[in-house]
Structures are given as C-alpha cells and as structure tokens.
Amino acid sequence: MPTYNRADLAFERGEGAWLWTGDGRRFLDFGSGIATASIGHAHPHLVQAIAEQAARVMHTSNLYRIPQAEKLAARLVETSFADSVFFCNSGAEANEGMIKAVRKYHAEQGHPERFVTICFEGAFHGRTLATLAATGNEKYIAGFGPVVQGFKHVPFGNMNALRDAIDGTTAAIMVEPIQGEGGVRPASLDFLRQLRAAADEFGILLALDEVQTGMGRSGKLWAHQWAGIEPDVMSSAKGIGGGFPLGAILAKERVAQYLKPGTHGSTYGGNPLACAAGNAVLDVILAPGFLDGVDRVARHLWRGLLELAHRHPAVAEGVQGAGLLVGLKLRPEISNGEMQNAAVAEGLLTVAAGMNVLRLAPPLIITEAEADEALRLLDRACLRCTPSQARDAAK
Ligand SMILES: *Cc1c(COP(=O)(O)O)cnc(C)c1O
C-alpha cells in the first residue's frame, strides 16, 4: 500500500553504526531505523542469540510457560520501578495495553467513570484507534471515523492546564519524557516531578510512554530516572528488541493485579525468539559501564552539535533532547526534509521529527570517532542547505 514516502535506498548489509547499499555505498546510520536498532546492526551477540533460539524453538504461544520471557521480565523488574511485565510486539500495542490497564485499575476500584487519559499536545503514542486518539493530532486522525473516547489534551509543560483538566473522570496522565515524533521536545525534569505529585494528589495514575526514550537512549536505562520519579505503568518498544519486534508494558503490582487471565493478551507477545533478542540487548545495555559510555558519547556529540548550530546560524536554531535522542532545530526557511536529503547526499542517515526538527538517534554503541564523523557530514549538509545570501554574507 502507498503508506510510506520511501527514500530510494535499499540496504543490503550493516555493521555497528554503518549500512551498505547493494551497490556498495556506505552510510552512517544516525537514525537506527527509528531509534530501534539500539545496539547497532549485526551485533554479534544479538545475531547469535536470535540464530540459536530460532534453531531451537521460535514460538510456542502463551498457553505454556516461556522461560526466555520469564527471564527478560525478571530482569526488567529488577532494573526498574515495575513489579511485573506484559510482552507485546510494538509501541502502539504497548500503549493500547497501558490505556486498558489504567482504565481497568479504576473500574476494579469501583470507579468505572474514571476512564479519561490526559495527554499532551505534540504527543505521539501510535497508530491504532485508541493510540491515535491519545496522539490527538488532527493530521493522523482525519478520515478514520469516530475518535475513540476518553482522551483529553493539554499543552505540553503547562501544569496549570494539566491541573484544570483533572476531574472525576480522570484515570491517568500519559506522557513521553521526551516527545520524540513531536520534535524531540523534552519535558523538564521539574514538570515530570510535578506530574507525579499531581497524580498522587488526585489518586490518578502516571503512565509513561518510554517507547522511544527508554532502553538506554537517554543515557539512563529509562528517561524518567533523570527526574528521580517512578511511574505507575510504562510502555517500552523500539530499542528493546534491538530491531526485532518487541514491546512491553511494565507496571506496579497495584495496576498489574487486575489484568487477570482473559483481560488482555497477544498471540505473538513475548515469544521465545523475541525474548531471546530482548535478553541479548539487555546483556549489552546492562553490561558494567555501558550506560556511562552512552552518556559520555552523548555529551561529546552534544558539544559538537552546539558548535555546529553556532557555526550555521542560517540553518540551525539550536539543539534539544537528551542523551542520544537529539534534535537539531532548524530555521523556518530550511525544511527538515531538505536537510535530511542533504545529509543523505553526504552519507548520513537521520530522521525528521515534528516542529521542523532533524532527529539524531544513533545506535547506543557509537564511538566518539563516529560522532565526529557524523558532525563532519552534518557540517557539509548544513553548507548544502545554507541559503546563498547567508553564504555570501559570511564571506
Ligand atoms: C514509535 C512510537 C510509538 C509507536 O510505536 P510502534 O512500534 O510504531 O507502534 C509510540 N510511542 C512513542 C513515543 C513512539 O516513539
């Protein structure tokens, strides 16, 4: 179906942060798919885990115990706020389940009228009918019939509007610690803390969408850890499988307890192959020093990007995001699509995001030398995009 605007590039092979087309051209991948190939391409440990598991057993269904899923869930619980985990296959599915979980919680507490999730303008939560309603963006919703009920939107970062929106029908606040698709816009750590406090004050749940920000991308395993808060429930996907489809809902017991047999499920969810991939990714990300390394290389990249933005005032306005989820905010005259194409012409893959931002989400395994190479290519891409008057003025 004509659902995608694909670039005319097809990759045959990858290694680490690099991809090669069939005709031998090499690209530095600072998109990781879309923030998904978290430990790079063809990581030997991930390749081996998938190959060995595929040769044993790929799928048995949730009618039986799945040791790989039990192991992965136990590790996620051990390293997060959560008491239990549900596995699915994508971000939208994780969010769909998270929305069900917060509604079920209030229904079981005797308050079925509390089914509204408060979301934020600029959010992206997925493409299913409920997650489209949570996303709330008219551009994605139009033409798909009645919008699923039970979602409200308030301006991102506005605590007064948030508090005004809370009433007797509110079930939860759902938020991305950094709005990814919406333009790599971070919530301030203070805003996240105030959301936690408001949720506690009104007896509602804090549901974090860490589909894009989680699994080490921010330099900590979960982005909310920078704020020192804990959600009640959280979704994860994208980087969790390192490129293999996998999603998860992590929850406190007080939420998870109500999702009894028959209330929710998935045929593929948490199958042995996907969980073998998830465990292999975690082996890499939880290895001693790995996340410190992500933080270090991210700071190096940020320094370079701030300099680059300073050197190219006719192209870039600034740098935003956190860790290895970085947005180069472009001037209104330069479209992010144009800049993305200029980067491709220089051999660098990036991803556009909302609000005219060029998104960089490299694999977490990049080196400082690779960050420098990306900066060199971006610098040349900026030159390609610099309007001729600005170029003349700079001479
Ligand atoms: C990508 C994304 C989703 C949707 O994930 P899919 O795997 O495409 O369904 C949901 N929330 C956030 C924050 C995302 O970045």
Side-chain angles (χ1 to χ4, degrees):
M1 294 190 188
T3 40
Y4 303 106
N5 260 324
R6 299 176 192 275
D8 187 19
L9 286 171
F11 301 106
E12 184 185 66
R13 179 169 74 82
E15 193 182 318
W18 299 90
L19 282 169
W20 284 264
T21 57
D23 56 7
R25 283 177 293 157
R26 187 177 83 145
F27 291 84
L28 184 53
D29 184 6
F30 264 47
S32 311
I34 301 180
T36 294
S38 50
I39 59 171
H41 301 286
H43 191 292
H45 184 61
L46 179 58
V47 170
Q48 188 188 355
I50 289 175
E52 284 180 0
Q53 189 60 51
R56 282 203 195 97
V57 60
M58 279 192 227
H59 181 84
T60 54
S61 89
N62 287 302
L63 299 173
Y64 310 101
R65 288 182 57 183
I66 302 176
Q68 296 79 3
E70 290 175 10
K71 179 178 169 190
L72 182 56
R75 298 172 81 190
L76 291 172
V77 163
E78 197 182 308
T79 52
S80 77
F81 72 95
D83 300 311
S84 71
V85 181
F86 176 88
F87 290 114
C88 54
N89 316 285
S90 69
E93 222 187 326
N95 284 335
E96 188 89 18
M98 184 158 79
I99 293 160
K100 285 176 70 178
V102 301
R103 291 184 179 192
K104 187 73 171 162
Y105 169 83
H106 290 288
E108 293 280 344
Q109 302 258 310
H111 292 287
E113 76 285 1
R114 290 186 162 205
F115 65 90
V116 175
T117 298
I118 301 177
C119 305
F120 293 91
E121 292 169 9
F124 182 80
H125 297 301
R127 301 278 195 168
T128 61
L129 287 169
T131 59
L132 270 184
T135 295
N137 184 331
E138 204 40 54
K139 194 176 79 184
Y140 300 142
I141 289 175
F144 296 111
V147 178
V148 173
Q149 282 183 33
F151 299 92
K152 256 190 210 175
H153 291 83
V154 298
F156 191 50
N158 187 330
M159 209 52 214
N160 289 335
L162 185 273
R163 295 180 76 95
D164 282 349
I166 297 174
D167 61 22
T169 67
T170 309
I173 303 164
M174 180 167 171
V175 65
E176 299 156 82
I178 303 160
Q179 288 190 338
E181 304 304 307
V184 196
R185 284 204 298 170
S188 75
L189 299 183
D190 198 48
F191 184 62
L192 292 175
R193 290 182 199 118
Q194 289 184 49
L195 291 180
R196 176 69 272 176
D200 291 341
E201 182 183 338
F202 293 99
I204 59 183
L205 300 174
L206 181 62
L208 294 184
D209 179 346
E210 290 233 29
V211 166
Q212 187 155 166
T213 54
M215 269 295 135
R217 182 137 300 276
S218 73
K220 289 194 189 290
L221 189 59
W222 307 109
H224 67 263
Q225 292 174 317
W226 289 104
I229 58 157
E230 290 189 342
D232 300 294
V233 55
M234 177 178 83
S235 56
S236 174
K238 290 205 166 88
I240 193 174
F244 196 91
L246 177 63
I249 310 167
L250 285 72
K252 291 275 199 200
E253 179 59 20
R254 65 195 188 95
V255 177
Q257 64 178 324
Y258 299 122
L259 294 176
K260 295 197 170 72
T263 57
H264 195 51
S266 163
T267 296
Y268 280 134
N271 86 9
L273 188 58
C275 290
N279 275 306
V281 169
L282 260 194
D283 290 341
V284 173
I285 292 181
L286 294 180
F290 183 83
L291 286 171
D292 290 338
V294 172
D295 191 47
R296 206 173 318 118
V297 77
R299 286 172 198 276
H300 181 81
L301 179 66
W302 273 75
R303 272 194 298 277
L305 284 169
L306 289 165
E307 273 171 36
L308 176 123
H310 188 72
R311 264 200 318 282
H312 296 282
V315 175
E317 282 184 351
V319 184
Q320 58 199 48
L324 288 180
L325 181 57
V326 200
L328 190 63
K329 172 88 174 149
L330 303 178
R331 290 189 53 87
E333 309 84 73
I334 315 292
S335 82
N336 55 1
E338 181 191 346
M339 182 68 181
Q340 188 184 9
N341 290 337
V344 166
E346 296 294 345
L348 179 70
L349 305 177
T350 61
V351 190
M355 304 184 85
N356 206 29
V357 162
L358 188 77
R359 177 173 21 169
L360 305 178
L364 306 182
I365 47 90
I366 56 160
T367 61
E368 292 194 358
E370 285 163 338
D372 289 339
E373 177 66 8
L375 288 163
R376 203 177 61 78
L377 299 174
L378 263 183
D379 190 70
R380 292 164 57 154
C382 283
L383 286 176
R384 279 180 185 260
C385 289
T386 303
S388 50
Q389 316 89 289
R391 209 174 300 159
D392 296 342
K395 274 180 192 159

